[in-house]
Amino acid sequence: MELLSICRQFQFGATPTEVKPLGEGFINDTFIVHTDGTDSYLLQRKNRKIFTDVPAMMNNIALVCDHIKAKVVAKGGDPMREALTVTPTVDGKLYYQDEEGEYWAACLFIKDSITYQAARTPELAFQGGKGIGLFQSMVADLKAPLADILPGFHNIRYRFKQWDEVLAKDPVGRKAAVATEIGWIESRREEMLKFWELVENGTIPTRVTHNDTKINNILFDQKGDVLCVIDLDTVLNSTCLNDFGDAIRSYTNTGLEDDPNLENVSMNMEIFEAYAKGYLSQTISFLTPTEIEYLAFSAKYITYEQVLRFLMDYIDGDNYYKVKDANHNLQRTLAQYQLLSSIEAQYAQMCEVVKKAAAAYR
Ligand code: GN1
Ligand code: MG
């Protein structure tokens, strides 16, 4: 369907004049919509293979946005810049479903905002940590339960179930060639399950969390302060450790997520420390001692899960992530494993850094 006619389904304050692809998401297709008015909008075709209940997902997003807006207003901030604004359709819905069954959603584009693909300075990492910490603190009292639109998303027990099924099938015959990589996953299975048991038995609490805290999911202003967190498709009830771990996976990587040159990839301790400080500056008042104790571990956990997910998708024949070529998911696997190894090598020091940072804010 023609993009401009999709745009006409939404309550944009002015007439759409141009629609262009935007960003590097692996899951949805994102476009920027310019209008003849002063505002621009983001339009997304949601991946309905992955998000099987888009109406429930959009409902989660609206709940979280409204909650954050109220908080921003209460502290005298600008709710149009410090929170996402979902744009409803002409018939008042949070999404539009076209004749082919595709789901579309839109939100206001926040002007003069900046996104980064990497955290090159500790200052930026500190602000990023502050941003996610603030997000978590603002949604901490959101009582309405969010719909579980991605069951088992960061649940390693669920991921192992998928993993075992894909390996048993080996649908495209790639398994034999990646025996070493499979060994990386298997040798850490028990360690990861042991951590997840703490979430399952309630030792680590469940909160409203973002679940995709890569640096490019945060909007910064021109001064380098965080405006707001974007890409709310994955807001769910889970452990907030996932948000910390996923941010560390992205912020501290000295290389690219899929770096073809593994020598570029390592965990940068200075960036880790800055992010941890920024994050704890906002969350120290509500995190439990056990959550703080496992912050450094969460970086291992989420990076491991990402190695598993990329490798599983490779073995499965590239069904989940968008890929550049047939080798892309394997390249991602190797780069993320390099990062995991670097995290493991520096793990004791990471625990010390967290301990010190937490003590400083208490
Ligand atoms: C996906 O859509 P995007 O690029 O923000 C994925 C994350 C992964 C990430 C890897 C719904 O996020 O979980 O960590 O790619 N999102 C979903 O970069 O699976
Ligand atoms: Mg994203």
Side-chain angles (χ1 to χ4, degrees):
M1 199 173 190
E2 204 227 325
L3 285 168
L4 275 174
S5 75
I6 302 281
C7 290
R8 282 193 281 278
Q9 305 296 327
F10 288 90
Q11 292 187 35
F12 296 143
T15 309
T17 49
E18 190 190 25
V19 190
K20 285 199 298 202
L22 185 84
E24 314 195 355
F26 298 170
I27 308 287
N28 299 316
D29 299 308
T30 307
F31 305 89
I32 181 153
V33 180
H34 297 294
T35 68
D36 62 2
T38 48
D39 287 331
S40 298
Y41 297 83
L42 286 185
L43 175 71
Q44 270 193 328
R45 177 171 37 225
K46 301 290 186 183
N47 184 323
R48 65 182 158 131
K49 229 169 70 187
I50 291 172
F51 301 114
T52 53
D53 191 347
V54 174
M57 174 174 86
M58 291 309 298
N59 215 35
N60 281 351
I61 294 176
L63 268 173
V64 168
C65 289
D66 290 351
H67 192 81
I68 292 178
K69 273 186 196 291
K71 289 276 159 85
V72 170
V73 169
K75 69 170 173 74
D78 180 349
M80 304 310 275
R81 292 185 63 73
E82 293 168 50
L84 275 190
T85 306
V86 178
T87 308
T89 60
V90 283
D91 53 2
K93 288 212 189 93
L94 298 170
Y95 57 88
Y96 168 68
Q97 191 176 24
D98 69 21
E99 292 115 49
E100 281 132 54
E102 298 289 348
Y103 282 97
W104 298 82
C107 67
L108 183 69
F109 177 78
I110 300 175
K111 267 183 256 165
D112 301 322
S113 59
I114 304 176
T115 52
Y116 296 91
Q117 297 304 324
R120 292 282 171 251
T121 65
E123 289 73 29
L124 195 73
F126 181 88
Q127 292 304 331
K130 230 175 113 180
I132 290 296
L134 185 64
F135 171 83
Q136 287 184 351
S137 80
M138 286 194 290
V139 292
D141 62 340
L142 180 78
K143 287 288 173 282
L146 299 176
D148 190 9
I149 53 117
L150 289 170
F153 191 56
H154 285 314
N155 171 345
I156 207 68
R157 193 181 299 285
Y158 173 80
R159 294 296 178 191
F160 282 133
K161 194 169 159 281
Q162 290 183 314
W163 166 261
D164 290 338
E165 282 166 14
V166 168
L167 264 71
K169 267 199 211 138
D170 190 19
V172 289
R174 284 177 171 175
K175 191 171 112 180
V178 290
T180 306
E181 290 81 354
I182 291 172
W184 298 339
I185 299 300
E186 294 301 343
S187 63
R188 292 163 176 86
R189 192 191 273 249
E190 290 315 312
E191 181 190 7
M192 299 300 156
L193 280 170
K194 230 174 106 202
F195 163 73
W196 193 252
E197 267 169 29
L198 299 176
V199 178
E200 289 170 328
N201 68 23
T203 307
I204 292 173
T206 292
R207 306 176 185 278
V208 175
T209 49
H210 181 280
N211 295 298
D212 190 6
T213 46
K214 287 197 284 205
I215 188 165
N216 63 11
N217 282 333
I218 296 208
L219 293 188
F220 293 84
D221 68 12
Q222 309 283 338
K223 291 190 313 225
D225 291 336
V226 166
L227 277 171
C228 67
V229 176
I230 57 171
D231 197 357
L232 299 176
D233 292 353
T234 51
V235 285
L236 289 167
N237 296 96
S238 188
T239 158
C240 63
L241 294 175
N242 294 336
D243 285 356
F244 185 83
D246 202 25
I248 297 307
R249 181 182 76 79
S250 119
Y251 280 74
T252 68
N253 187 352
T254 52
L256 303 173
E257 188 183 56
D258 59 351
D259 213 305
N261 181 357
L262 296 182
E263 280 174 16
N264 291 339
V265 177
S266 64
M267 202 289 296
N268 180 319
M269 188 63 78
E270 206 190 343
I271 299 285
F272 175 76
E273 183 169 0
Y275 187 92
K277 284 182 176 162
Y279 177 73
L280 285 164
S281 74
Q282 302 301 308
T283 56
I284 194 79
S285 59
F286 65 85
L287 290 184
T288 67
T290 314
E291 286 175 305
I292 294 173
E293 187 190 330
Y294 278 90
L295 279 177
F297 187 85
S298 73
K300 258 207 258 187
Y301 178 82
I302 289 288
T303 308
Y304 170 87
E305 185 203 72
Q306 199 62 67
V307 178
L308 183 156
R309 289 175 67 196
F310 284 147
L311 182 57
M312 178 166 72
D313 198 33
Y314 177 74
I315 298 169
D316 197 33
D318 309 321
N319 286 311
Y320 191 92
Y321 292 109
K322 290 182 191 169
V323 287
K324 286 195 292 222
D325 55 52
N327 209 41
H328 198 183
N329 270 321
L330 185 57
Q331 188 176 315
R332 287 165 167 157
T333 303
L334 300 181
Q336 290 293 293
Y337 182 69
Q338 180 72 21
L339 181 64
L340 176 62
S341 306
S342 175
I343 292 173
E344 288 176 339
Q346 301 182 78
Y347 181 59
Q349 204 187 333
M350 289 166 77
C351 293
E352 279 310 306
V353 163
V354 170
K355 233 193 234 165
K356 266 203 202 132
Y361 284 116
R362 259 201 214 99

